[in-house]
Amino acid sequence: MSTVNAALPGVFYRRPAPDQEPFVEVGAMVQEGQTIALIEVMKTFSEVKAEQAGTLGRFLLDEGDEVEAGQGVAEVVAP
């Protein structure tokens, strides 16, 4: 299992826009480099990408939570 960490502080979002589906659901397969969330800082959105392929085990934050740089945001379980 690996933890995906935030590269910068901001606000955590699981979907590209409020009216759209999440990038990925818990339990779904993800590929290395796949976008799984966004972090917003001063109206600029940065993608959070899976660092390895596997199954998204869980998110460690809820939609709209504040996140610090280096904080874990999700766990990916290797296949």
Side-chain angles (χ1 to χ4, degrees), residues 13-23 38 45 63:
Y13 295 103
R14 290 184 51 201
R15 56 189 78 228
D19 61 341
Q20 295 186 0
E21 296 295 316
F23 287 104
L38 296 174
F45 292 85
E63 184 87 357

Side-chain angles (χ1 to χ4, degrees), residues 6 10-11 20 22 30 37 43-44 51 54 56 58 60 65 68 70-71 75 78:
V11 179
Q20 295 186 0
V30 295
K43 307 293 183 197
T44 300
E51 297 170 357
L56 184 68
R58 67 180 180 139
L60 304 174
D65 280 354
E68 297 294 326
Q71 183 178 352
E75 293 177 342

Side-chain angles (χ1 to χ4, degrees), residues 52-78:
Q52 73 174 43
T55 302
L56 184 68
R58 67 180 180 139
F59 282 100
L60 304 174
L61 299 170
D62 291 324
E63 184 87 357
D65 280 354
E66 297 278 334
V67 61
E68 297 294 326
Q71 183 178 352
V73 300
E75 293 177 342
V76 176
V77 180

